[in-house]
Amino acid sequence: MDLDTRIDRAVTRSVALGRGGAAPQKLSSALTYATTPGGARIRPTILMSVALACGDDQPEVSEAAAAALELIHCASLVHDDLPCFDDADLRRGKPSVHRAYSEPLAVLTGDSLIVLAFEVLGRAAAVDPSRAAALVLTLAQRTGMPGGICAGQGWESEQEVDLAAYHRSKTGALFIAATRMGAIAAGHEDPDAWEDLGACIGEAFQVADDLRDALYDAETLGKPAGQDELHARPSAVAEFGVDGAIRRLKDILGGAISSIPACPGEAALARMVRMQAERLTPVAPAHSRS
Amino acid sequence: MDLDTRIDRAVTRSVALGRGGAAPQKLSSALTYATTPGGARIRPTILMSVALACGDDQPEVSEAAAAALELIHCASLVHDDLPCFDDADLRRGKPSVHRAYSEPLAVLTGDSLIVLAFEVLGRAAAVDPSRAAALVLTLAQRTGMPGGICAGQGWESEQEVDLAAYHRSKTGALFIAATRMGAIAAGHEDPDAWEDLGACIGEAFQVADDLRDALYDAETLGKPAGQDELHARPSAVAEFGVDGAIRRLKDILGGAISSIPACPGEAALARMVRMQAERLTPVAPAHSRS
C-alpha cells in the first residue's frame, strides 16, 4: 500500500472513532468536514517517511502517529480561521468550518480534533505502551505551550516578539513533531537526533511561503498576495531578495539532507526530501525575475 | 500531606510546565489565571480518593492524573465562557479569561490547557508507561467526541437531543473519568467496575444543581437563579418537586456508595462520598419549603 493511501486510511479510521455511537450529528459531521479533502498532508508524509527510513517495525503505531499529527494540524486550521483570529471565509476552496456550521461548532470541532489526536495515540498503547506514551509527550510539547503551535499563535498577541521562538513554534513545531514522532514510532534509539531534520524542513517551508507571497498573484495563491511587503513583515525575500531567498531555500534543504541520522532507509529519505524540495520551490513567473 | 495540598501542588507544577522557557507572556499568564483560584476541585478530589482507596501505590501517577483532569475542567470553563457560547463576563468572582485577556487568548488558553493535560500524562510514562497510556485513553474518551464533554456541548447545537446521551456527556463524563482514572492510576485490575460510581456522582451533581437553581437566589448562586423554570428546561425539580428531588439526590448517593467495588480503602471512600453528599445537598431557605 502506498504512503498516501496508508495516511488517508489512518486519518479516516481516526475520525470514525470520534463519530461512533450516539453523537451529536452536526459536530460529528464537522469532524469529517474539517479533515477532508486532505490537502498535501505533508506533515504525516514526513512522519511516515522517517518511520520507514527507521524500519517501520510497528506500522499500526506509525499510522496512529501520522493520523494524530494530521488531526492536530486540521484542528489548528479550524481555530485559526475563527472570527477572532483570521476570520477566514474559505479554506481549501470550501467555506471554513465556522461559516459552514457555526462558531460554537468550530470551537468544538477544533477541541474535539485535538482530543481525538491523543485518543488515537492512547489506543496505540495496545501495541506498544512505551512508544505510545512517548508520542503523546512529543505531540503535546509541539502543540501546546510553551513551545508548540499554540505558543506560536500566542506570540501574535504580544507587543514584543521573540522572532526565533515565534518561527520555531508557529511553523517549525509540527515539522519537528513529524520527524521525532516518525523516529519514536519506529523505535529509533535517539529521537532527539531527528529534530534538526524537522527544524530544517520547517524553515524551508517558511522561506518557500515567503517566496510564494512575493512571486505569485492572488489567483495562484488562493489568498491575497504581496502581504509580507504590504505589512512590512520580516520575510526571507525582504532580507535576501528573490534570488537570494531561492538560494537560501536550497541551502536549508541541503542542510536537511545532511542532518539525516544514520538509519537503514537513509538514501530513500534523502530522495523524499529532495522531492518535497522541488514541490516547495516556486517557479517564478518570468516578469518577476527580470 | 493532605489531599487538597497534593492536588493544588500537582496543578501548580503542571501549569508551570506550560509556562517555562521563551513563552509568549500573556498566554503564559492566562494559563495561571484560568486555573486559580481552584474552586472546590471536586473532580481531582474524587480521583485521588479512588486512587487512595485502591492503595495509591504510584503517587506521582495519581497526582498527574488529578492535575490532568482539573486542567481539562478548567479548559472547558474557559471555552464555555466564550462569547459564542455563554458569553460570560465573570467566572469564580473575577472576569472570565476572554474579558481579562482577549478572545483569541481565551481560545488559545483552552487549547493549551487541553494539550497540557495530555503532556502531564505523557510525562507520567516515565514512572509507568502502561498506566500513563491508559489514562490518556480514558481522559480523551471522556473529553472529546463522541462521548465526552465536547459532545455534551455539541448536543446544544442540535434540534433533537438524545437527553440521556446529553447528560451522560455534559455532566457525567468528567466524573466517570475521575473514578476510572483514580482506579487506573493506582493499578486497580478492573477500571470498568468504577464507572458506576462516577456516573452516580455525576447524576447527583446534576440533581443538586437543579435544586440550587430552584431554591437559591442570584446572590447566593453567584449567577441568575430560576433559569430552569424560566427556560422550561427539563430538571429534577420540575420532574419530582423540591422534596422529591432531595429524596432522589439521597437515593443516587446511596446507589453511589453501594456501587463502590471491593478495595482496601472502601470504608474511607464511602465516608468521602457521604461528605461530598452533605456539601452537595442544598439547605433550602425556609420560605421555599413551606
Side-chain angles (χ1 to χ4, degrees), chain B residues 201-223:
Chain B
I201 298 176
E203 207 185 335
F205 249 73
Q206 186 61 54
V207 175
D209 211 50
D210 293 351
L211 274 163
R212 277 195 299 267
D213 180 75
L215 294 176
Y216 287 0
D217 57 18
E219 196 182 342
T220 313
L221 279 178
K223 59 180 183 181

Side-chain angles (χ1 to χ4, degrees), chain A residues 252-276:
Chain A
I252 296 167
L253 287 160
I257 288 167
S258 65
S259 84
I260 296 174
C263 63
E266 207 177 317
L269 184 58
R271 279 196 299 278
M272 188 282 290
V273 174
R274 267 192 214 96
M275 204 185 71
Q276 296 292 348

Side-chain angles (χ1 to χ4, degrees), chain B residues 161-187:
Chain B
V161 178
D162 178 333
L163 268 182
Y166 170 60
H167 283 303
R168 202 165 51 235
S169 52
K170 172 97 181 174
T171 321
L174 291 192
F175 288 102
I176 296 174
T179 53
R180 269 192 76 96
M181 290 173 79
I184 293 167

